[in-house]
Each structure stands twice: as C-alpha cells, then as structure tokens.
Amino acid sequence: MAQDHYAILGVDAKASADEIKRAYRRLALATHPDRHPDDPVAEERFRQISAAYAILSDPAKRARYDTTRHLPEAFTGGQEMNLQTAKDLLSAVFGDVLGRQRRQRKRGRDIRYTLTVDFAEAVLGTEKEIVFEALGACSTCGGTGEKAGGRGPETCGLCGGRGEIKGEGFFAPWTPCGRCSGMGLIHQDPCKDCRGRGARRESRSFRVRIPPGTEGGAQRVVKGQGEPGYFGGEPGNLLVTINVRDDPWLRRDGHDIHCELPLSLGEAARGGKIPVPSVSGSVNVEIPPGVTTGARLRLRGKGVPQERGRPGDQIVTIALETPRLDALGPRGGAARDAYEALLTELEKLETEHPKLLPRRASQRDKG
Ligand SMILES: [Zn+2]
Ligand SMILES: [Zn+2]
C-alpha cells in the first residue's frame, strides 16, 4: 500500500488547494531539518510532507493520484524526493521562510560587568551584590513588546520580513532594514512603556558568588541574565569578569601566598611573637631568635583554600630593615645624636665580642 499523502499532510481528501498549501507550510516549517539538526525522524517526515505536497499541489498529478491511491501500484509522482529537493520546494513555494523565522527571534545581548574584589576576598571566596544599569524585561508588557490585547506582530512591509534590503543592481549588497531594525517583524500595537522593544533600561542587581581561590581575570557566566531577546528570543548572559586588587603585602603563587617580613635588628636578634599580615587578618608568628635575612617561615594552611585537599601555605621571608638615620634629621639633632651614640656603643661591644657577628668577624680578621 502506498503512502496516504492526504494523511501525511493531515488534510481531508476533498481539501482545497489553499488548505493543502497551508498544511504543507505549517508541517514543513515544524519538521525542517534546519530546526532539527541530526534528527533522522524529522528529516524523513519532512521528505514525506514535501513529496505529498509535490503531488497534491499539482492538479494533474493530484487527479492521477486520486484515481490510483487505493490500488497497489499507486501513482508516486515518479521522482524521489531527497532532502535538497524538499528544501528547494519549500523555498520555491514560500521564499526564505526559515531565514525570516530566525531573524524574528533574536537572542538578547550579553551584559559585561567587571567586579573588583580585594586580594583576601578572592582567595577566601565571597559573595558580592553588583548593581548596574541595563536592559531588563519590560514589566508593563512582560517582555513581549506588545500592549495588552494587541494584535500581535506583523511582517515588516518594507523588507517583506527578510530583515534586510538589497540595493539597486545585481551585485548590490544587502543591508539591514531600517524600518524593522533587521528583525523582519513590526509590532502593530507596541507597548507604550518600552516602545515595542520588550525591554527597558533599569537598575538591576545580582548576587555574584566568588568561589575560594578565584584568580584575577576569571569569568563567571550567569545564564539568561543578559538583555532580553527580541520577539520571544532567548535572553543573553551576564558575564562577570573578576578583577583582583593587589595587596600591599601579600602575593599569590599558585596555592601558596608569599609575604616579606621586615624586622629590626633587635627583633631579629631576640625573636619572639611578631604580627604578620595574612588573608584572614594579622596573625602572631613566633620568630626564632637570631633569624637572618632571606630565612623562610612556612605558615601551614594559611594559603589558598582548595575544593579538595588541604589549603596552600603562607611563606614568610625575613628581611632585616636597616635604619635610615636621615629620618631622624641632620646630625646635632637630639634623636639623631642619641641613636648614633647607641650605634657606637653597639660597635664597641661587637668588636669586644666577635662571636656576636662571627662571619663578619672572621672576614675582618683576614682583611
Ligand atoms: Zn513593554
Ligand atoms: Zn523590515
């Protein structure tokens, strides 16, 4: 038994040419392979619909099909309907319908936002509220762009729904249609508050989660929080780029955090508890007596937290800071003279007791 072309198009055997055409358009658009990529079932259905229409739209072929349709050897049109011929048939009958459909539903634009956070916030993770001016769905029309009870959008009369217009001459380029802004559609009854755009500029806010260990330049994509689409198209995304402020003391290297700890001669010689900056605030660190410049102390677990496993460490590098005598003013000033007197005292003791600075002493002896 051959295919029932009427059943395929979902029409009665007595259907008018117009009814057949309408059914073909609706079904061909619904099953078109451009809308169902890699879907063999839709493709087969699309070919059947096209084959049925090729016969039923031609009065002579339809008459031959009608007289033979209940016979085992029904008239088939004699031609295989492949995918390309099926697509060509649709554009021959209705023009570039699918291109027009695509233009009508345009995705909204992405919104980009740069969020600057402190070094410690990026390392430990945080949540920030961002507030920005952007297009949001118009609350009056709910984003449709049409006023309540409106007649719905119509095809743009200037470009015929293509969204673009060809200039004069065979080689003239296509340019976006100025009347419909390339949409191919125009609201007959636009919403007064958004003038048909379906969107209004408004203040929007959004909470952004910054996971622990976030590095500068990282991007968070919040799906669907961009500008609303046009004529029912999907909204764009909100793209938040994280910018991390430098910290005056702390620097990140992978999972570890590095810092330098300046010490006075007295602190370095005596050791003891010294406050050290860290991402979780100042921590008191026990400095061993006699520590030297370049010595490294490791603060376990004070680095970058990890999703799995133990956090990184903070590495503290000791740097002895040499006094700047000029800061006390010129010689003759009370503070400067007092400090220099103490230095002279120190030097005396250091010479008397070479074991205080053994490396220095042994080099001077040889010299
Ligand atoms: Zn509106
Ligand atoms: Zn237009």
Side-chain angles (χ1 to χ4, degrees):
M1 175 83 193
Q3 304 265 24
D4 183 344
H5 292 319
Y6 290 107
I8 287 169
L9 288 178
V11 294
D12 194 84
K14 292 198 255 324
S16 69
D18 214 40
E19 285 168 333
I20 288 168
K21 194 170 174 177
R22 276 206 303 274
Y24 165 60
R25 184 189 157 100
R26 184 170 52 80
L27 294 172
L29 285 179
T31 58
H32 198 284
D34 285 3
R35 288 192 177 166
H36 303 271
D38 304 319
D39 180 348
V41 177
E43 186 180 313
E44 175 58 19
R45 181 106 175 87
F46 178 69
R47 287 198 307 109
Q48 287 181 1
I49 290 158
S50 310
Y53 181 72
I55 290 173
L56 299 185
S57 61
D58 180 320
K61 286 180 182 171
R62 185 178 177 183
R64 274 184 72 188
Y65 172 70
D66 283 348
T67 54
T68 61
R69 59 188 284 228
H70 296 297
L71 304 176
E73 295 286 309
F75 171 67
T76 59
Q79 191 194 337
E80 174 72 15
M81 181 64 72
N82 68 30
L83 190 57
Q84 194 52 53
T85 34
K87 284 181 176 176
D88 290 347
L89 176 68
L90 183 65
S91 33
V93 179
F94 293 108
D96 185 14
V97 272
L98 227 65
R100 191 188 305 169
Q101 291 289 327
R102 268 199 295 273
R103 253 187 291 283
Q104 285 166 1
R105 264 198 266 264
K106 198 175 156 212
R107 186 177 169 273
R109 274 196 301 238
D110 292 336
I111 296 174
R112 284 161 203 282
Y113 189 95
T114 301
L115 173 60
T116 301
V117 296
D118 287 339
F119 181 83
E121 290 175 321
V123 168
L124 299 175
T126 184
E127 214 177 86
K128 288 267 171 183
E129 176 147 50
I130 58 174
V131 181
F132 50 93
E133 284 264 316
L135 287 180
C138 167
S139 53
T140 312
C141 61
T144 62
E146 191 172 284
K147 82 175 178 199
R151 289 166 292 169
E154 67 177 351
T155 301
C156 170
L158 190 61
C159 62
R162 291 194 68 102
E164 47 188 15
I165 293 176
K166 196 178 189 319
E168 295 289 325
F170 190 73
F171 293 107
W174 289 86
T175 51
C177 171
R179 185 163 175 247
C180 62
S181 311
M183 293 294 133
L185 281 178
I186 293 219
H187 285 293
Q188 299 189 74
D189 299 302
C191 164
K192 290 264 187 308
D193 289 338
C194 63
R195 284 190 254 122
R197 169 60 182 91
R200 265 192 295 180
R201 223 173 158 72
E202 57 179 20
S203 176
R204 291 173 64 183
S205 63
F206 199 84
R207 287 197 79 77
V208 182
R209 198 181 82 84
I210 294 159
T214 296
E215 292 194 66
Q219 198 175 59
R220 301 261 298 118
V221 179
V222 189
K223 283 222 180 292
Q225 292 295 324
E227 293 188 358
Y230 299 80
F231 295 101
E234 298 178 48
N237 297 328
L238 171 61
L239 309 176
V240 183
T241 304
I242 313 295
N243 179 41
V244 180
R245 251 184 226 112
D246 282 342
D247 186 275
W249 307 113
L250 307 173
R251 181 175 58 78
R252 187 172 165 181
D253 181 16
H255 300 162
D256 290 336
I257 291 173
H258 290 259
C259 88
E260 196 173 72
L261 181 65
L263 293 180
S264 70
L265 174 65
E267 286 172 328
R270 288 183 176 132
K273 282 206 185 300
I274 306 280
V276 174
S278 83
V279 285
S280 43
S282 182
V283 285
N284 280 320
V285 176
E286 184 70 43
I287 305 295
V291 77
T292 57
T293 281
R296 290 175 150 214
L297 305 173
R298 188 173 282 267
L299 312 184
R300 299 233 171 248
K302 288 284 179 194
V304 181
Q306 302 301 305
E307 291 244 304
R308 261 166 268 160
R310 56 170 218 94
D313 300 331
Q314 179 170 339
I315 292 145
V316 181
T317 305
I318 304 295
L320 258 66
E321 191 167 13
T322 306
R324 296 182 179 189
L325 296 180
D326 286 350
L328 296 175
R331 282 204 173 117
R336 171 86 180 251
D337 283 358
Y339 200 96
E340 292 219 25
L342 289 174
L343 287 177
T344 309
E345 285 292 306
L346 280 177
E347 263 166 9
K348 230 171 92 190
L349 285 168
E350 283 157 6
T351 314
E352 281 168 27
H353 304 276
K355 282 180 181 168
L356 266 173
L357 300 168
R359 278 166 51 77
R360 173 179 172 273
S362 81
Q363 203 180 59
R364 294 293 155 86
D365 283 353
K366 290 205 175 85

